[in-house]
Amino acid sequence: MPELPDVEKFREMLESCAKGRAVQHVVVRDTGVLHGVSARRLRDALVGRRFTRPERHGKWLLARTGGPTLLLHFGMTGSLVCGSPDDAVEAHDRVLLTLSGERQLRYRDQRKLRGLWLADDDTEVARLLDDQGPDAMAVDRAEFAAVLSSHRGRVKTVLTDQTALAGLGNLLADEILWRARLRPTVRANDLTEPDRRRLYTQMRRTLRSAVTAGCVPPRDSWLTGHRDDPDPICPRCGAPLHRSRMAGRGTVWCPRCQPDGA
DNA sequence: ACTAATGTTAGCCG
DNA sequence: TCGGCTAACATTAG
């Protein structure tokens, strides 16, 4: 599930659920999601702290407290749940943070591909996010163009490379390229100036809608609404969509709408 | 039984 | 150094 729009939804949830509230209890039900921090140190660092305004960079969520920062990454199946301590605990609830005011935050994740990190200060936050490219929501057109021009790989690979640009995942990349009428296999540095402008515009439009929806919505008018169909059809031109594999990820595109750049 | 799934990373190769 | 590929991580659903 989690790409930038999902993580932004978690950020908004965290802000409304936890901002200003103090951590009363920390329960780690599965230490497999902790990275570089023990359950004891996590508890000692967080209990008694109050959450301040959370931030997001790419697919990372930063739960700030004014002291240490809890960093969350949701992998492919993670989510953040805000509820009551009385809610039934589910099988994949890995970490529970009980907050003042009868609230409880939960890091829920089936596959445990990523998890939780703890940074003692901003220096350590910066170190953990050191390899991240500019955030896809915040990047300006010039910087975006510079990212594309400086990579010789395929444009889809560049869009999903978190060190080049942070936030886009497999679904968003396919969706944005389809809207911009660019084939995922074209070389990023072969894009023309109009290509780059169109790609930037469509990235912004797609992100704006997806952030409003809180996910990459599988709407009928979106490519994403059809990628799991048995015989998918392009919702724009009716041509049969193509499927392939790029960098190990399933890739869907329209051979008619997204012509070979050459 | 086999495959793919919205993520990331180490290791290998050219 | 860069880009591309594969396996691995852990788990479930079709």
Side-chain angles (χ1 to χ4, degrees):
Chain A
M1 195 215 290
E3 299 185 48
L4 186 155
D6 308 273
V7 181
E8 181 59 23
K9 178 184 66 183
F10 298 148
R11 195 200 66 75
E12 289 161 13
M13 245 183 50
L14 179 60
E15 178 159 10
S16 63
C17 174
K19 196 172 89 172
R21 297 187 190 276
V23 179
Q24 295 178 329
H25 304 287
V26 175
V27 174
V28 178
R29 299 184 66 242
D30 187 333
T31 54
V33 299
L34 299 187
H35 297 264
V37 61
S38 65
R40 165 181 287 270
R41 190 163 78 82
L42 185 72
R43 188 192 64 206
D44 290 349
L46 293 181
V47 170
R49 295 278 182 182
R50 256 171 223 286
F51 284 110
T52 60
R53 187 165 200 278
E55 293 170 47
R56 180 192 57 73
H57 185 94
K59 300 173 189 172
W60 284 93
L61 180 58
L62 283 64
R64 296 193 172 277
T65 69
T69 297
L70 181 65
L71 289 97
L72 304 93
H73 194 295
F74 299 92
M76 283 171 79
T77 52
S79 65
L80 189 67
V81 180
C82 174
S84 144
D86 300 328
D87 296 342
V89 174
E90 297 198 9
H92 302 118
D93 288 341
R94 310 293 184 183
V95 178
L96 316 179
L97 302 184
T98 305
L99 310 177
S100 50
E102 292 294 297
R103 297 283 176 90
Q104 191 170 64
L105 272 178
R106 300 180 183 186
Y107 179 80
R108 181 176 294 173
D109 189 18
Q110 177 189 109
R111 286 172 69 182
K112 300 190 283 185
L113 291 174
R114 305 296 281 153
L116 273 45
W117 284 251
L118 183 73
D120 290 323
D121 53 40
D122 278 355
T123 308
E124 207 179 336
V125 172
R127 199 171 52 74
L128 285 167
L129 301 183
D130 182 44
D131 65 346
Q132 294 285 295
D135 183 80
M137 271 299 263
V139 71
D140 66 32
R141 197 156 46 74
E143 197 176 5
F144 181 71
V147 166
L148 294 171
S149 305
S150 63
H151 288 266
R152 286 171 297 174
R154 295 163 164 180
V155 63
K156 171 165 180 184
T157 309
V158 177
L159 291 181
T160 53
D161 177 354
Q162 304 300 298
T163 70
L165 184 69
L168 305 186
N170 198 41
L171 296 189
L172 275 174
D174 281 0
E175 187 71 42
I176 292 164
L177 288 166
W178 174 74
R179 290 195 187 202
R181 298 174 183 267
L182 292 170
R183 196 163 286 207
T185 46
V186 301
R187 306 265 147 201
N189 66 333
D190 282 347
L191 295 179
T192 63
E193 175 61 18
D195 287 341
R196 290 193 293 256
R197 279 180 174 265
R198 214 164 61 249
L199 189 53
Y200 182 73
T201 303
Q202 295 306 325
M203 176 176 76
R204 296 200 60 90
R205 291 191 55 198
T206 308
L207 280 174
R208 185 151 33 88
S209 298
V211 165
T212 301
C215 64
V216 187
R219 286 186 197 133
D220 215 40
S221 59
W222 289 40
L223 181 71
T224 307
H226 301 273
R227 59 184 300 135
D228 295 329
D229 296 352
D231 294 297
I233 297 292
C234 174
R236 189 165 48 200
C237 79
L241 295 170
H242 277 209
R243 268 187 227 284
S244 69
R245 202 151 263 281
M246 278 187 59
R249 325 294 308 158
T251 299
V252 178
W253 82 94
C254 174
R256 194 190 295 175
C257 293
Q258 296 167 268
D260 217 327

